[in-house]
Amino acid sequence: MKQIVEIDNIILTCDIHSYIKKSPDFNSWESDVHYYGTDELEFTVESALELDEDEIPYDLSSTEIDKLMADEWFVKVVEKEILKIIEAETEN
């Protein structure tokens, strides 16, 4: 499944390989993951655009995409945006 994710002036085309939502089990004390539940998401970024000051998009190279995705903070922001999109789609 492909999703378009926009973060500030960057537009990513992401290919979602898998998404698993594990519900919380408040009777389990095995771990926090069991007790609170978790979302497991696997995705890759197929392409990325960056908008300049005039809102004109230009393609980012694979090296530039790799640098973006090497930033742990940025990856977490992308994951949160993808999860918001998935949750919105499942509610409809």
Side-chain angles (χ1 to χ4, degrees):
M1 169 172 65
K2 295 200 189 307
Q3 290 293 339
I4 304 296
V5 178
E6 295 183 36
I7 300 170
D8 294 329
N9 64 331
I10 298 175
I11 302 169
L12 304 170
T13 302
C14 300
D15 186 16
I16 300 170
H17 304 290
S18 71
Y19 171 64
I20 300 170
K21 182 173 185 81
K22 294 186 181 180
S23 299
D25 180 0
F26 300 117
N27 296 316
S28 175
W29 291 96
E30 284 184 50
S31 70
D32 290 349
V33 171
H34 289 90
Y35 187 80
Y36 293 108
T38 186
D39 293 314
E40 294 180 14
L41 177 67
E42 291 182 21
F43 69 96
T44 54
V45 176
E46 289 189 345
S47 63
L49 297 171
E50 186 169 2
L51 303 176
D52 67 10
E53 306 85 36
D54 299 321
E55 300 291 315
I56 298 172
Y58 64 92
D59 289 323
L60 294 179
S61 69
S62 59
T63 304
E64 291 170 317
I65 294 171
D66 289 344
K67 286 180 184 178
L68 277 176
M69 299 312 289
D71 181 350
E72 189 174 317
W73 175 84
F74 187 79
V75 172
K76 288 183 188 257
V77 172
V78 172
E79 287 175 348
K80 284 182 184 178
E81 289 300 314
I82 291 173
L83 291 174
K84 282 183 194 176
I85 293 167
I86 290 172
E87 287 176 13
E89 287 178 353
T90 57
E91 287 178 3
N92 293 330

